[in-house]
Amino acid sequence: MLDLTPLLAFRWSPRAFDPTAGLTGDEATSLLEAARWAPSAGNSQPWRFALGHREDDTWKRLLVSLPDGDQRWARHAAALLLGAHTGGDPERAAYDLGQAVAHLTVQATALGLHAHQLTRFDRAGLATELDLPVGVRPTVVVAIGRLGDPFALPADLRDRETELRRRRPLADLLLA
């Protein structure tokens, strides 16, 4: 990977999280600060977060909003983070939230943590469970933690976890 910073080159989204490792308060603050400093249209910062540490009420509510297949591995994450957005232009706000989550993800890599983003979850149920204000749109749940043993995963997930990382060739991504 020609001249790609290691923070990006070695970032990946594991399913194997260490079920004994926690997320410290300083680490959580560092992740949220990275998100806070992400670019946004007009510096509007339309993102909002709910952070749950393993086994607290917020974490449990986030976990049960995920499909059963994702709960199998996400239950080992040290933290679960809901990323939501507000604002008049939902497409722009969602884009800005994506920037914030990307910054958080890179910061996680810098801290020796991993983040796995999930977009399949019960948005309406979670909005009710967390009593989110009207206009706050749940968009992503991020599992955060330290890398665990991929061989502790069920066989179907273990195979996906240990296969070679692949990306489309750059030429496939260019429109013109």
Side-chain angles (χ1 to χ4, degrees), residues 131-152:
D131 195 24
L132 298 180
V134 173
V136 174
R137 298 173 183 93
T139 305
V140 63
V141 172
V142 184
I144 303 166
R146 301 213 180 277
L147 194 58
D149 179 4
F151 295 101

Side-chain angles (χ1 to χ4, degrees), residues 24-88:
T24 69
D26 286 346
E27 289 169 332
T29 299
S30 180
L31 295 173
L32 294 170
E33 280 292 330
R36 186 170 78 96
W37 284 96
S40 65
N43 198 28
S44 61
Q45 301 172 33
W47 47 77
R48 301 295 180 268
F49 298 108
L51 178 64
H53 293 266
R54 187 182 298 117
E55 298 298 331
D56 73 14
D57 286 342
T58 300
W59 184 92
K60 289 174 184 174
R61 288 180 172 127
L62 291 167
L63 183 66
V64 299
S65 77
L66 300 174
D68 292 342
D70 290 331
Q71 287 184 38
R72 291 186 303 164
W73 58 267
R75 65 188 170 92
H76 296 298
L80 295 173
L81 175 93
L82 171 67
H85 63 82
T86 65

